[in-house]
Amino acid sequence: MFIVKKINQLISGKILDKKRIHRKFSSRRKKLTEHIRNKGIKDPKVLQAIEQVPRHIFVDTALENHAYEDSALPIGSGQTISQPYTVAVQTELLEVKKGDKILEIGTGSGYQAAILCHMGADVYSVERHEPLYLNARQKLQELGYRPRLKCGDGTLGWSAYAPYDGIIVTAGAPIVPEDLIQQLSVGGKLIVPVGDQEVQTMIRITRVSEDAYEEEQLKEFKFVPLIGEKGWE
Ligand code: SAH
């Protein structure tokens, strides 16, 4: 009896913690969502995820006051959590449907992975920096999200679970990594910023059949570099 009571207390404590996390900054999150809508993001599922996922959990507590500004923030290991607008653009381009299998390259803070999980995707994500991988794993678990995470070189994709309905690269690549194209299912989309280290063009590649692809070149952005065998040195 005593143990059952203790377990119940622990569970209700956790639920209360989660409620508290979601209540905190909720009006700032609403404002940020409005701002992103005004910048042209239309997908209601993306806007809802931005409004509901607590971004402040994915940054250092010293920076949480800035978590709902539309800007990138440092997350350690010389990396950044992407600007919320950029996250929204990349996520909208994926056209995520519930149950879609999505691979993310560059877990970083884990925020983008949380957005995708929140939208009902089956998420796989690779990060090359171990401290970031460990931190993201803990934060995502705390919030109850269950993506599959790996520490390694994402320029090679994650062949064990391929093919994917969508692949999103959250670091700037010098060229479109060939392995990623090959890990798309027919109808699948790869969203990848490609360029030099200063500026990159967002590219969407759709696999229209077994051996045909369509490429769209979209807006310019600035990402941290994608480093690895098929990326920057
Ligand atoms: N999606 C992240 C953005 C992090 S910035 C977020 O929501 O916070 C991009 C991340 O890509 C960095 O953490 C960087 O370490 C990682 N990265 C760069 N090259 C990589 C590679 N080859 N494989 C996996 N991760 C990589």
Side-chain angles (χ1 to χ4, degrees), residues 79-80 104 106-109 112 127-129 132 153-154 170 227:
Q79 307 303 319
T80 55
E104 176 193 25
T107 317
S109 66
Q112 170 75 71
E127 170 56 51
R128 64 185 285 270
H129 284 290
L132 296 180
D153 181 4
T170 67
I227 295 171

